[in-house]
Amino acid sequence: MELKQFPSNLYGLQIHLVGAKGTGMTALAEILHSRGALLTGSDVPDVFYTDSILRALNVKLFENFDAKHIPDACDLVIYSAAYSRDANPELKAAAAHNIPIYSYPEVLGALSLHSTSAGIAGVHGKTTTTALTGILMEALSMPATVLAGSAISNFNNRCTLIQGDTYFIAETCEYRKHFLNFKPSWIVLTSVESDHQDYFPTYESIRDAFVEYVLSLPSGGTLIFCADEKGATEVADIALQQRKDINFVEYGFSAQGKWKIRSLRTLAGTNTFITGNYPVDISLHVPGQHLVLDAVAALALADSIFKAETSRDIEPHEWKIMANALSSFRGSKRRSEVVGEYGGILIIDDYGHHPTAIAATIEGIKKFWPHRRLVVDFMSHTYTRTIALQDAFVAALDQADAVVMHKIYASAREQPIQDFDGQKLFQKLCERRKDLDLLVPDDSHLAATSIGHGKNTLRARTGFALYTEEPLDALPMLEKKLKPGDIFLTMGAGDNWKLGRALAELLENKKAIKHGPERKHTE
């Protein structure tokens, strides 16, 4: 379908969502609902955090796929890119009845045509940058709709911020060049690295996709890019050679000009820095230097949108409002998300699934809590990515004090590769980290002698390495090995986040048994 044919007025339209529980689809449902659409949807029966959001939107939700789910008076069908128009029974039924069908990326593109839009792009950093931009839009009372790829605490644990449709700011995905559907006036480019190897077999292929996206900017459009990131600067350089009519704005520690980051300090769980035209301290209470970069990218975009809306520069009192807004940010779901502290063990969950993001997140947590032992539970996502980046994955875990690993979490779009699995990745880790004690569960098929684990001690041997095929199988061993003061970090795009929740429940139950019911709620 042509994007221009997507209706600008959604009030009263009956829209069916295929794959409604995905974070992007749920965010889209929030926007459609706010504009008066009537929604039904379908997905798998598994329960996700998005279920509660969809219920709050009064979406009639089916927990399987069946042609009968398409409403009789359906005006539109929108589907997650995870599903195929040729295989899904609901999509085939919609096509047979000549109901207009749009993919999620196509709908984002259509919405971008009806507003002045900004696309947040990059291999990593998209969600946080989008969230921080939304916080600034709210602080500045800009008439904007913001769509992020995860639930944001500052968005009332929703995926969107909706306070007008003059501007549309959205996280845009590079996979299969989906972001080319989006029609931005601004692009924020956080990072470009090799990823999605099933579609981009070389770095050059993914780099060129980002170049193509940047070149889609209109005359007078703006690229805001990270000067500290080699891939982003390369994309900007290539685009600059072809388009002199685009504005290029750089940010970062090595940037020249307004958005250079100055005087970063990390102390007592706070990152404090200065950027922009005013010498005002800006504080972030979330770990990681990479999040400082994301915050400055958001500031640069918000500054540009503010000027477009008001035809003036931000004044000192407004800058202070922006700084205060950023200090209120407490993260987003699965992005250094603090699950809680139980029995003195701090449990954190993070979606990082690319080596660069993993290393940056671990480094940030170590700097925030330098005296705590960090136990990282990592589950690799997709065979193609794991095989292509296997050495980088194990190197990214270097700063972890202990490591737990599992099977590879396969994408729905791929089949397992017989000669490579999670155990082989774990073996690479053990060969690299001979300072860790190898733990072998009683029922494990992984023999200690097969690892070639040496006796070299680079640390005080307080760390350990553990492999279990399924994440929850690690729980008994973790119960024995974790101790007060530890940080337990689940990391990856798989389902090992469930282990962190199970550990939290176990520790909370132990506390209740220890103190008894009469003391259960006293602190």
Side-chain angles (χ1 to χ4, degrees):
M1 300 292 294
E2 288 290 332
L3 297 186
K4 292 181 179 179
Q5 295 178 12
F6 190 85
S8 57
N9 183 5
L10 300 173
Y11 187 83
L13 291 186
Q14 180 70 62
I15 300 177
H16 184 71
L17 307 173
V18 177
K21 294 184 182 183
T23 53
M25 290 290 285
T26 297
L28 186 59
E30 293 173 18
I31 294 174
L32 300 175
H33 178 267
S34 74
R35 299 185 183 185
L38 306 174
L39 303 176
T40 59
S42 58
D43 212 315
V44 295
D46 304 61
V47 177
F48 302 99
Y49 75 88
T50 54
D51 283 67
S52 60
I53 298 175
L54 293 169
R55 283 196 301 270
L57 298 175
N58 294 317
V59 177
K60 184 178 181 181
L61 191 62
F62 301 96
E63 297 200 328
N64 60 359
F65 298 104
D66 193 305
K68 295 183 293 185
H69 296 160
I70 303 291
D72 292 336
C74 188
D75 295 298
L76 288 171
V77 171
I78 301 170
Y79 67 98
S80 163
Y83 295 96
S84 167
R85 294 180 63 153
D86 298 326
N88 185 276
E90 296 179 8
L91 295 176
K92 290 196 291 185
H97 289 88
N98 295 315
I99 299 172
I101 303 172
Y102 292 88
S103 69
Y104 168 79
E106 288 172 338
V107 176
L108 284 195
L111 293 175
S112 73
L113 287 171
H114 299 312
S115 301
T116 305
S117 298
I120 314 294
V123 170
H124 37 77
K126 296 187 289 290
T127 297
T128 302
T129 303
T130 306
L132 291 164
T133 303
I135 289 169
L136 295 173
M137 292 293 96
E138 184 175 38
L140 294 169
S141 300
M142 290 291 99
T145 291
V146 182
L147 182 152
S150 184
I152 309 301
S153 58
N154 295 70
F155 295 179
N156 196 26
N157 290 316
R158 295 287 185 89
C159 304
T160 60
L161 172 73
I162 301 172
Q163 51 184 34
D165 58 7
T166 303
Y167 302 97
F168 181 43
I169 301 159
E171 181 176 334
T172 56
C173 180
E174 68 276 8
Y175 183 65
R176 293 188 177 275
K177 299 185 180 182
H178 285 155
F179 52 22
L180 294 183
N181 290 283
F182 202 79
K183 308 303 176 186
S185 296
W186 295 271
I187 290 174
V188 174
L189 184 55
T190 63
S191 57
V192 179
E193 295 185 58
S194 182
D195 199 9
H196 306 294
Q197 286 78 10
D198 58 325
Y199 189 77
F200 299 115
T202 64
Y203 162 74
E204 288 75 18
S205 59
I206 194 170
R207 178 203 64 193
D208 291 347
F210 280 100
V211 170
E212 189 176 357
Y213 186 35
V214 172
L215 293 178
S216 74
L217 284 166
S219 179
T222 299
L223 172 66
I224 300 168
F225 67 97
C226 182
D228 299 334
E229 209 284 321
K230 181 180 178 182
T233 56
E234 185 177 2
V235 167
D237 288 342
I238 294 171
L240 179 60
Q241 293 171 16
Q242 301 181 49
R243 293 284 301 277
K244 304 299 183 184
D245 60 335
I246 295 175
N247 300 308
F248 291 82
V249 177
E250 59 184 73
Y251 69 91
F253 294 93
S254 58
Q256 300 298 314
K258 183 175 181 178
W259 302 112
K260 181 178 180 64
I261 299 171
R262 307 187 294 278
S263 67
L264 173 64
R265 306 184 304 279
T266 301
L267 186 65
T270 301
N271 285 315
T272 303
F273 61 97
I274 294 174
T275 192
N277 288 337
Y278 303 111
V280 175
D281 280 351
I282 300 172
S283 295
L284 287 179
H285 303 288
V286 285
Q289 182 173 296
H290 58 299
L291 296 189
V292 174
L293 288 167
D294 295 341
V296 179
L299 285 165
L301 177 58
D303 177 78
S304 187
I305 291 175
F306 181 88
K307 192 166 187 177
E309 175 66 12
T310 64
S311 300
R312 66 176 178 84
D313 292 327
I314 286 173
E315 296 181 357
H317 74 280
E318 291 162 331
W319 186 257
K320 290 181 180 179
I321 290 172
M322 296 168 74
N324 288 337
L326 290 179
S327 72
S328 74
F329 181 58
R330 291 298 181 269
S332 53
K333 196 163 188 67
R334 301 223 61 211
R335 271 72 177 178
S336 293
E337 176 191 3
V338 174
V339 177
E341 186 157 353
Y342 307 86
I345 299 168
L346 182 63
I347 300 175
I348 302 175
D349 180 46
D350 191 88
Y351 186 70
H353 55 280
H354 186 281
T356 301
I358 292 166
T361 299
I362 291 174
E363 180 182 21
I365 290 173
K366 292 286 286 184
K367 285 183 177 180
F368 245 48
W369 295 285
H371 304 300
R372 304 186 76 158
R373 183 175 70 157
L374 178 60
V375 180
V376 177
D377 183 278
F378 173 63
M379 190 176 204
S380 185
H381 178 239
T382 81
Y383 281 83
T384 50
R385 179 186 287 122
T386 306
I387 291 171
L389 304 177
Q390 53 188 283
D391 292 329
F393 273 123
V394 296
L397 298 167
D398 277 352
Q399 289 197 56
D401 298 301
V403 180
V404 185
M405 293 178 70
H406 311 287
K407 68 181 182 182
I408 296 170
Y409 190 83
S411 165
R413 59 183 181 256
E414 68 176 359
Q415 294 296 320
I417 296 175
Q418 297 302 318
D419 59 351
F420 195 89
D421 57 16
Q423 289 195 14
K424 289 194 174 180
L425 187 66
F426 181 67
Q427 182 171 342
K428 277 186 168 288
L429 173 89
C430 291
E431 290 168 353
R432 183 179 179 91
R433 293 293 304 276
K434 291 185 169 65
D435 57 306
L436 301 179
D437 283 327
L438 177 64
L439 304 183
V440 182
D442 293 339
D443 58 350
S444 174
H445 298 295
L446 186 68
T449 54
S450 70
I451 298 299
H453 204 62
K455 297 296 184 181
N456 183 29
T457 55
L458 303 179
R459 307 183 186 202
R461 294 192 73 79
T462 60
F464 59 87
L466 170 66
Y467 180 89
T468 63
E469 191 74 3
E470 299 294 336
L472 290 177
D473 291 343
L475 189 59
M477 190 68 78
L478 288 172
E479 183 184 4
K480 298 176 184 177
K481 297 296 292 184
L482 293 176
K483 55 189 179 183
D486 285 349
I487 298 173
F488 181 69
L489 169 66
T490 51
M491 175 161 277
D495 62 357
N496 58 324
W497 59 269
K498 296 176 181 178
L499 177 58
R501 267 60 176 188
L503 177 64
E505 183 178 358
L506 175 68
L507 295 173
E508 187 69 8
N509 289 339
K510 287 178 68 174
K511 175 185 173 184
I513 292 171
K514 179 180 179 181
H515 293 296
E518 72 279 5
R519 297 177 59 189
K520 184 175 181 180
H521 300 293
T522 62
E523 292 290 338

